[in-house]
Amino acid sequence: MSKKTDYVAAGPGAGSKLTKAEELGLRILDAAEFAALLAGGPDAIGDAQA
């Protein structure tokens, strides 16, 4: 995981990877946002820049 990472999908118990993503300021998706991203692309989660 690095600044080049666009999204991180995280759920309960994500642990140190979630902490690292937060430190890097990455977009963290929950299960519903991840499903929307898969179904409709970045526009579906309000992120047309990715």
Short mmCIF file of all heavy atoms in Angstrom, two decimals:
data_model
loop_
_atom_site.label_atom_id
_atom_site.label_comp_id
_atom_site.label_asym_id
_atom_site.label_seq_id
_atom_site.Cartn_x
_atom_site.Cartn_y
_atom_site.Cartn_z
N MET A 1 0.85 -1.15 0.00
CA MET A 1 0.00 0.00 0.00
C MET A 1 0.91 1.22 0.00
O MET A 1 1.87 1.30 0.75
CB MET A 1 -0.89 -0.07 1.24
CG MET A 1 -1.72 1.08 1.50
SD MET A 1 -2.89 0.90 2.88
CE MET A 1 -2.80 -0.75 3.41
N SER A 2 0.56 2.20 -0.86
CA SER A 2 1.35 3.41 -0.96
C SER A 2 0.45 4.57 -1.40
O SER A 2 -0.75 4.38 -1.60
CB SER A 2 2.47 3.22 -1.99
OG SER A 2 1.94 3.17 -3.30
N LYS A 3 1.05 5.73 -1.57
CA LYS A 3 0.29 6.89 -2.05
C LYS A 3 -0.31 6.64 -3.42
O LYS A 3 -1.25 7.30 -3.83
CB LYS A 3 1.18 8.13 -2.10
CG LYS A 3 1.38 8.77 -0.76
CD LYS A 3 0.14 9.53 -0.39
CE LYS A 3 0.40 10.45 0.78
NZ LYS A 3 -0.81 11.08 1.24
N LYS A 4 0.22 5.68 -4.16
CA LYS A 4 -0.30 5.34 -5.49
C LYS A 4 -1.57 4.50 -5.41
O LYS A 4 -2.24 4.31 -6.42
CB LYS A 4 0.75 4.60 -6.30
CG LYS A 4 1.95 5.46 -6.65
CD LYS A 4 2.93 4.69 -7.48
CE LYS A 4 4.12 5.57 -7.83
NZ LYS A 4 5.07 4.84 -8.70
N THR A 5 -1.91 4.00 -4.23
CA THR A 5 -3.12 3.21 -4.03
C THR A 5 -4.33 4.13 -4.10
O THR A 5 -4.35 5.19 -3.48
CB THR A 5 -3.07 2.50 -2.66
OG1 THR A 5 -1.89 1.71 -2.59
CG2 THR A 5 -4.29 1.64 -2.44
N ASP A 6 -5.35 3.75 -4.89
CA ASP A 6 -6.54 4.58 -5.02
C ASP A 6 -7.54 4.34 -3.90
O ASP A 6 -8.11 5.29 -3.36
CB ASP A 6 -7.24 4.33 -6.36
CG ASP A 6 -6.43 4.87 -7.54
OD1 ASP A 6 -5.86 5.96 -7.42
OD2 ASP A 6 -6.38 4.17 -8.57
N TYR A 7 -7.79 3.08 -3.57
CA TYR A 7 -8.79 2.73 -2.58
C TYR A 7 -8.30 1.59 -1.70
O TYR A 7 -7.52 0.76 -2.14
CB TYR A 7 -10.10 2.25 -3.24
CG TYR A 7 -10.66 3.18 -4.27
CD1 TYR A 7 -10.58 2.88 -5.62
CD2 TYR A 7 -11.28 4.37 -3.89
CE1 TYR A 7 -11.09 3.74 -6.57
CE2 TYR A 7 -11.79 5.23 -4.83
CZ TYR A 7 -11.70 4.92 -6.18
OH TYR A 7 -12.20 5.76 -7.12
N VAL A 8 -8.85 1.55 -0.50
CA VAL A 8 -8.64 0.41 0.40
C VAL A 8 -10.01 -0.01 0.90
O VAL A 8 -10.76 0.83 1.41
CB VAL A 8 -7.73 0.78 1.60
CG1 VAL A 8 -7.65 -0.35 2.59
CG2 VAL A 8 -6.34 1.18 1.12
N ALA A 9 -10.36 -1.27 0.70
CA ALA A 9 -11.61 -1.80 1.22
C ALA A 9 -11.31 -2.39 2.60
O ALA A 9 -10.39 -3.19 2.74
CB ALA A 9 -12.17 -2.87 0.29
N ALA A 10 -12.04 -1.95 3.59
CA ALA A 10 -11.77 -2.39 4.96
C ALA A 10 -13.08 -2.66 5.70
O ALA A 10 -14.06 -1.96 5.52
CB ALA A 10 -10.97 -1.33 5.71
N GLY A 11 -13.03 -3.68 6.52
CA GLY A 11 -14.18 -4.03 7.33
C GLY A 11 -13.75 -4.17 8.77
O GLY A 11 -12.63 -3.77 9.14
N PRO A 12 -14.61 -4.73 9.59
CA PRO A 12 -14.28 -4.92 11.00
C PRO A 12 -12.99 -5.73 11.17
O PRO A 12 -12.75 -6.68 10.44
CB PRO A 12 -15.47 -5.70 11.54
CG PRO A 12 -16.58 -5.44 10.57
CD PRO A 12 -15.93 -5.23 9.24
N GLY A 13 -12.16 -5.30 12.07
CA GLY A 13 -10.93 -6.01 12.35
C GLY A 13 -9.84 -5.79 11.32
O GLY A 13 -8.97 -6.63 11.16
N ALA A 14 -9.88 -4.68 10.59
CA ALA A 14 -8.90 -4.42 9.53
C ALA A 14 -7.48 -4.28 10.07
O ALA A 14 -6.52 -4.54 9.37
CB ALA A 14 -9.30 -3.19 8.74
N GLY A 15 -7.33 -3.82 11.30
CA GLY A 15 -6.03 -3.79 11.95
C GLY A 15 -5.04 -2.80 11.39
O GLY A 15 -5.39 -1.69 10.99
N SER A 16 -3.78 -3.22 11.31
CA SER A 16 -2.69 -2.30 10.98
C SER A 16 -2.77 -1.77 9.56
O SER A 16 -2.30 -0.67 9.28
CB SER A 16 -1.34 -2.97 11.21
OG SER A 16 -1.18 -4.08 10.35
N LYS A 17 -3.34 -2.53 8.64
CA LYS A 17 -3.47 -2.05 7.26
C LYS A 17 -4.40 -0.84 7.20
O LYS A 17 -4.15 0.10 6.45
CB LYS A 17 -3.98 -3.16 6.33
CG LYS A 17 -3.02 -4.29 6.17
CD LYS A 17 -1.76 -3.86 5.44
CE LYS A 17 -0.87 -5.06 5.21
NZ LYS A 17 0.39 -4.73 4.61
N LEU A 18 -5.46 -0.87 7.99
CA LEU A 18 -6.37 0.27 8.04
C LEU A 18 -5.65 1.49 8.61
O LEU A 18 -5.78 2.59 8.08
CB LEU A 18 -7.62 -0.05 8.87
CG LEU A 18 -8.62 1.08 9.04
CD1 LEU A 18 -9.14 1.58 7.71
CD2 LEU A 18 -9.77 0.63 9.92
N THR A 19 -4.88 1.29 9.65
CA THR A 19 -4.12 2.38 10.25
C THR A 19 -3.16 2.98 9.23
O THR A 19 -3.06 4.20 9.09
CB THR A 19 -3.33 1.89 11.49
OG1 THR A 19 -4.27 1.34 12.42
CG2 THR A 19 -2.55 3.00 12.13
N LYS A 20 -2.47 2.13 8.47
CA LYS A 20 -1.53 2.60 7.44
C LYS A 20 -2.27 3.39 6.37
O LYS A 20 -1.81 4.45 5.94
CB LYS A 20 -0.80 1.40 6.84
CG LYS A 20 0.12 1.72 5.71
CD LYS A 20 1.37 2.37 6.18
CE LYS A 20 2.38 2.48 5.02
NZ LYS A 20 3.58 3.15 5.37
N ALA A 21 -3.43 2.91 5.94
CA ALA A 21 -4.23 3.61 4.93
C ALA A 21 -4.65 4.98 5.43
O ALA A 21 -4.59 5.97 4.69
CB ALA A 21 -5.45 2.78 4.55
N GLU A 22 -5.05 5.06 6.68
CA GLU A 22 -5.45 6.35 7.26
C GLU A 22 -4.26 7.30 7.31
O GLU A 22 -4.39 8.49 7.01
CB GLU A 22 -6.03 6.14 8.65
CG GLU A 22 -7.37 5.44 8.63
CD GLU A 22 -7.85 4.99 10.00
OE1 GLU A 22 -7.04 4.84 10.93
OE2 GLU A 22 -9.07 4.77 10.13
N GLU A 23 -3.10 6.79 7.70
CA GLU A 23 -1.89 7.62 7.76
C GLU A 23 -1.52 8.17 6.39
O GLU A 23 -1.03 9.30 6.28
CB GLU A 23 -0.71 6.82 8.31
CG GLU A 23 -0.83 6.50 9.79
CD GLU A 23 0.23 5.52 10.28
OE1 GLU A 23 1.05 5.04 9.46
OE2 GLU A 23 0.24 5.25 11.49
N LEU A 24 -1.77 7.39 5.33
CA LEU A 24 -1.45 7.82 3.98
C LEU A 24 -2.54 8.70 3.37
O LEU A 24 -2.37 9.24 2.29
CB LEU A 24 -1.22 6.60 3.08
CG LEU A 24 0.03 5.79 3.36
CD1 LEU A 24 0.03 4.49 2.55
CD2 LEU A 24 1.28 6.60 3.05
N GLY A 25 -3.67 8.82 4.08
CA GLY A 25 -4.77 9.64 3.57
C GLY A 25 -5.52 9.00 2.41
O GLY A 25 -6.07 9.69 1.57
N LEU A 26 -5.53 7.67 2.36
CA LEU A 26 -6.19 6.96 1.28
C LEU A 26 -7.69 6.90 1.47
O LEU A 26 -8.19 6.98 2.59
CB LEU A 26 -5.64 5.53 1.18
CG LEU A 26 -4.13 5.43 0.94
CD1 LEU A 26 -3.70 3.97 0.94
CD2 LEU A 26 -3.73 6.10 -0.36
N ARG A 27 -8.41 6.73 0.38
CA ARG A 27 -9.86 6.58 0.43
C ARG A 27 -10.17 5.18 0.93
O ARG A 27 -9.75 4.19 0.34
CB ARG A 27 -10.45 6.79 -0.97
CG ARG A 27 -11.93 6.53 -1.10
CD ARG A 27 -12.76 7.77 -0.86
NE ARG A 27 -14.16 7.48 -0.84
CZ ARG A 27 -15.00 7.74 -1.84
NH1 ARG A 27 -14.57 8.32 -2.93
NH2 ARG A 27 -16.27 7.45 -1.72
N ILE A 28 -10.90 5.08 2.03
CA ILE A 28 -11.24 3.79 2.64
C ILE A 28 -12.71 3.51 2.37
O ILE A 28 -13.57 4.32 2.68
CB ILE A 28 -10.94 3.80 4.15
CG1 ILE A 28 -9.45 4.08 4.37
CG2 ILE A 28 -11.36 2.48 4.79
CD1 ILE A 28 -9.07 4.42 5.78
N LEU A 29 -12.97 2.36 1.76
CA LEU A 29 -14.32 1.98 1.38
C LEU A 29 -14.87 0.92 2.32
O LEU A 29 -14.16 -0.01 2.69
CB LEU A 29 -14.33 1.41 -0.04
CG LEU A 29 -13.72 2.27 -1.15
CD1 LEU A 29 -13.78 1.51 -2.47
CD2 LEU A 29 -14.40 3.61 -1.26
N ASP A 30 -16.16 1.06 2.65
CA ASP A 30 -16.82 -0.02 3.38
C ASP A 30 -17.41 -0.99 2.36
O ASP A 30 -17.23 -0.81 1.14
CB ASP A 30 -17.90 0.54 4.33
CG ASP A 30 -19.02 1.28 3.62
OD1 ASP A 30 -19.21 1.10 2.39
OD2 ASP A 30 -19.72 2.05 4.29
N ALA A 31 -18.07 -2.02 2.80
CA ALA A 31 -18.57 -3.06 1.90
C ALA A 31 -19.54 -2.50 0.86
O ALA A 31 -19.47 -2.86 -0.32
CB ALA A 31 -19.24 -4.18 2.70
N ALA A 32 -20.43 -1.61 1.26
CA ALA A 32 -21.41 -1.04 0.33
C ALA A 32 -20.73 -0.18 -0.73
O ALA A 32 -21.08 -0.24 -1.92
CB ALA A 32 -22.45 -0.23 1.09
N GLU A 33 -19.75 0.63 -0.32
CA GLU A 33 -19.03 1.46 -1.29
C GLU A 33 -18.21 0.60 -2.25
O GLU A 33 -18.13 0.89 -3.45
CB GLU A 33 -18.11 2.44 -0.57
CG GLU A 33 -18.84 3.52 0.18
CD GLU A 33 -17.92 4.35 1.05
OE1 GLU A 33 -17.07 3.76 1.76
OE2 GLU A 33 -18.05 5.58 1.01
N PHE A 34 -17.60 -0.47 -1.75
CA PHE A 34 -16.84 -1.37 -2.60
C PHE A 34 -17.74 -2.02 -3.64
O PHE A 34 -17.39 -2.10 -4.82
CB PHE A 34 -16.13 -2.42 -1.75
CG PHE A 34 -15.24 -3.34 -2.54
CD1 PHE A 34 -14.14 -2.86 -3.22
CD2 PHE A 34 -15.52 -4.69 -2.61
CE1 PHE A 34 -13.32 -3.71 -3.96
CE2 PHE A 34 -14.71 -5.54 -3.34
CZ PHE A 34 -13.61 -5.06 -4.01
N ALA A 35 -18.92 -2.48 -3.23
CA ALA A 35 -19.87 -3.08 -4.16
C ALA A 35 -20.30 -2.07 -5.22
O ALA A 35 -20.40 -2.40 -6.41
CB ALA A 35 -21.08 -3.62 -3.41
N ALA A 36 -20.54 -0.83 -4.80
CA ALA A 36 -20.92 0.21 -5.75
C ALA A 36 -19.79 0.50 -6.73
O ALA A 36 -20.02 0.70 -7.93
CB ALA A 36 -21.33 1.49 -5.00
N LEU A 37 -18.56 0.51 -6.25
CA LEU A 37 -17.40 0.74 -7.11
C LEU A 37 -17.31 -0.36 -8.17
O LEU A 37 -17.09 -0.08 -9.35
CB LEU A 37 -16.12 0.78 -6.28
CG LEU A 37 -14.81 0.92 -7.06
CD1 LEU A 37 -14.72 2.27 -7.76
CD2 LEU A 37 -13.62 0.75 -6.11
N LEU A 38 -17.49 -1.60 -7.76
CA LEU A 38 -17.43 -2.71 -8.70
C LEU A 38 -18.56 -2.63 -9.73
O LEU A 38 -18.36 -2.92 -10.91
CB LEU A 38 -17.51 -4.04 -7.97
CG LEU A 38 -16.30 -4.39 -7.09
CD1 LEU A 38 -16.56 -5.71 -6.37
CD2 LEU A 38 -15.03 -4.46 -7.89
N ALA A 39 -19.73 -2.22 -9.29
CA ALA A 39 -20.89 -2.18 -10.18
C ALA A 39 -20.87 -0.99 -11.13
O ALA A 39 -21.27 -1.11 -12.29
CB ALA A 39 -22.18 -2.16 -9.35
N GLY A 40 -20.40 0.16 -10.63
CA GLY A 40 -20.53 1.36 -11.44
C GLY A 40 -19.29 2.19 -11.64
O GLY A 40 -19.36 3.27 -12.21
N GLY A 41 -18.16 1.72 -11.17
CA GLY A 41 -16.92 2.48 -11.34
C GLY A 41 -16.83 3.65 -10.38
O GLY A 41 -17.70 3.84 -9.52
N PRO A 42 -15.78 4.45 -10.52
CA PRO A 42 -15.52 5.55 -9.59
C PRO A 42 -16.67 6.56 -9.47
O PRO A 42 -16.90 7.10 -8.41
CB PRO A 42 -14.27 6.21 -10.16
CG PRO A 42 -13.59 5.13 -10.92
CD PRO A 42 -14.69 4.29 -11.48
N ASP A 43 -17.40 6.80 -10.57
CA ASP A 43 -18.52 7.74 -10.51
C ASP A 43 -19.59 7.29 -9.52
O ASP A 43 -20.27 8.12 -8.91
CB ASP A 43 -19.14 7.93 -11.88
CG ASP A 43 -18.26 8.72 -12.82
OD1 ASP A 43 -17.39 9.48 -12.33
OD2 ASP A 43 -18.42 8.57 -14.05
N ALA A 44 -19.75 5.97 -9.35
CA ALA A 44 -20.77 5.43 -8.45
C ALA A 44 -20.51 5.76 -6.98
O ALA A 44 -21.42 5.76 -6.17
CB ALA A 44 -20.88 3.93 -8.63
N ILE A 45 -19.26 6.08 -6.65
CA ILE A 45 -18.94 6.43 -5.27
C ILE A 45 -18.52 7.89 -5.16
O ILE A 45 -17.93 8.31 -4.18
CB ILE A 45 -17.86 5.50 -4.66
CG1 ILE A 45 -16.57 5.54 -5.46
CG2 ILE A 45 -18.40 4.08 -4.54
CD1 ILE A 45 -15.40 4.84 -4.79
N GLY A 46 -18.82 8.65 -6.21
CA GLY A 46 -18.52 10.08 -6.19
C GLY A 46 -17.04 10.40 -6.30
O GLY A 46 -16.58 11.36 -5.72
N ASP A 47 -16.32 9.59 -7.08
CA ASP A 47 -14.89 9.83 -7.21
C ASP A 47 -14.50 9.72 -8.69
O ASP A 47 -13.93 8.73 -9.13
CB ASP A 47 -14.11 8.80 -6.39
CG ASP A 47 -12.64 9.17 -6.24
OD1 ASP A 47 -12.23 10.22 -6.76
OD2 ASP A 47 -11.91 8.40 -5.60
N ALA A 48 -14.78 10.74 -9.44
CA ALA A 48 -14.50 10.73 -10.87
C ALA A 48 -13.02 10.89 -11.19
O ALA A 48 -12.61 10.69 -12.31
CB ALA A 48 -15.30 11.84 -11.55
N GLN A 49 -12.20 11.24 -10.19
CA GLN A 49 -10.78 11.49 -10.45
C GLN A 49 -9.96 10.22 -10.56
O GLN A 49 -8.88 10.24 -11.11
CB GLN A 49 -10.19 12.34 -9.33
CG GLN A 49 -10.78 13.71 -9.27
CD GLN A 49 -10.24 14.51 -8.09
OE1 GLN A 49 -9.48 14.00 -7.29
NE2 GLN A 49 -10.65 15.75 -8.00
N ALA A 50 -10.41 9.12 -10.00
CA ALA A 50 -9.60 7.89 -9.98
C ALA A 50 -9.48 7.24 -11.33
O ALA A 50 -10.17 7.48 -12.24
CB ALA A 50 -10.18 6.90 -8.98
#
